Amino acid sequence: DQQVKQNSPSLSVQEGRISILNCDYTNSMFDYFLWYKKYPAEGPTFLISISSIKDKNEDGRFTVFLNKSAKHLSLHIVPSQPGDSAVYFCAASRAGNNRKLIWGLGTSLAVNP
Amino acid sequence: GAVVSQHPSWVICKSGTSVKIECRSLDFQATTMFWYRQFPKQSLMLMATSNEGSKATYEQGVEKDKFLINHASLTLSTLTVTSAHPEDSSFYICSAREGEGISYNEQFFGPGTRLTVL
């Protein structure tokens, strides 16, 4: 049972445009959500997170939006740069259970020059 | 800040031998460390969670006698793959988390260790 879903395995965007990566979840107990970026043969790099008490969090070119009623979150990257090309993972956690992260399967983003 | 290192970055060993992988938090104290495994073109699979000074909690299907985890200090956790077999070949990644503050929810990852068992 995939509790965190990233339904788009890949996304291609032109440099300078907006990249929107989507993530859906099924467990209403999740109260913290994170986005990680990963290059092949490297560990994931933390990008941005959001608590369930908020609906938006912004950090530079990265903005995460949370729609709790729809159990949906999205990561916006604007403007997109070729260096943003990587696999992006959405993860969620809830109180207790050591707050372990439940991961989506990732979306591979390609930003074309 | 929040740097996590892993050693070695890659290792090749013969079938039947044991391999130890170290995970260190370099600039913070990690009360909790996690060990993941990643197969090609797949997501991260959590193997176990270790809290400093206590036994690790293993995920369902992960053999605790095969994957020995020791979290002896607030900056070091080790994963030992015992009697390794070719099917254990994989990319192993650790992450670490501070115990307090806003960063409690965020895990910081090491660069990973590529294990190849011949």
Side-chain angles (χ1 to χ4, degrees):
Chain A
D1 176 33
Q2 193 73 25
Q3 296 185 64
V4 177
K5 301 176 185 177
Q6 293 177 256
N7 292 319
S8 298
S10 63
L11 175 68
S12 183
V13 170
Q14 207 65 29
E15 181 180 5
R17 306 295 290 268
I18 185 171
S19 295
I20 300 176
L21 297 100
N22 293 303
C23 179
D24 298 290
Y25 62 96
T26 58
N27 191 338
S28 57
M29 298 297 291
F30 290 143
D31 62 0
Y32 203 81
F33 305 89
L34 308 91
W35 285 94
Y36 284 85
K37 173 182 179 180
K38 187 180 184 300
Y39 296 112
E42 293 186 12
T45 301
F46 170 73
L47 274 178
I48 193 168
S49 61
I50 188 167
S51 163
S52 61
I53 63 173
K54 296 186 176 181
D55 55 18
K56 177 183 174 181
N57 188 24
E58 192 172 353
D59 184 2
R61 296 187 298 116
F62 302 93
T63 303
V64 55
F65 295 92
L66 175 63
N67 182 334
K68 279 200 303 181
S69 60
K71 294 192 179 68
H72 176 84
L73 62 154
S74 60
L75 173 68
H76 292 211
I77 307 173
V78 55
S80 302
Q81 300 172 354
D84 296 329
S85 299
V87 177
Y88 288 78
F89 288 98
C90 170
S93 73
R94 61 174 178 83
N97 202 22
N98 263 315
R99 275 220 172 259
K100 63 181 182 181
L101 295 179
I102 308 300
W103 297 80
L105 295 180
T107 296
S108 179
L109 172 66
V111 179
N112 306 307
Chain B
V3 178
V4 177
S5 70
Q6 269 183 253
H7 178 80
S9 55
W10 59 270
V11 57
I12 301 173
C13 70
K14 292 183 178 180
S15 186
T17 61
S18 294
V19 174
K20 180 186 282 189
I21 302 170
E22 292 186 351
C23 177
R24 293 181 185 272
S25 58
L26 299 185
D27 51 2
F28 66 99
Q29 293 189 325
T31 53
T32 305
M33 287 185 168
F34 302 84
W35 286 95
Y36 293 84
R37 184 173 177 176
Q38 186 182 29
F39 294 99
K41 297 186 178 181
Q42 292 190 24
S43 187
L44 297 164
M45 184 194 82
L46 178 65
M47 298 174 66
T49 303
S50 73
N51 291 297
E52 185 263 340
S54 61
K55 289 184 178 180
T57 302
Y58 290 81
E59 294 299 302
Q60 192 173 9
V62 178
E63 299 176 59
K64 61 180 181 181
D65 294 330
K66 180 168 186 60
F67 298 100
L68 301 178
I69 291 172
N70 185 2
H71 192 164
S73 76
L74 286 173
T75 59
L76 173 65
S77 176
T78 60
L79 167 68
T80 302
V81 183
T82 62
S83 188
H85 288 97
E87 56 266 30
D88 299 324
S89 299
S90 191
F91 191 57
Y92 292 87
I93 312 174
C94 74
S95 71
R97 186 179 70 197
E98 292 186 90
E100 299 177 5
I102 195 170
S103 58
Y104 175 71
N105 288 311
E106 294 157 8
Q107 295 180 25
F108 299 95
F109 285 80
T113 297
R114 169 69 60 190
L115 170 63
T116 301
V117 184
L118 302 176

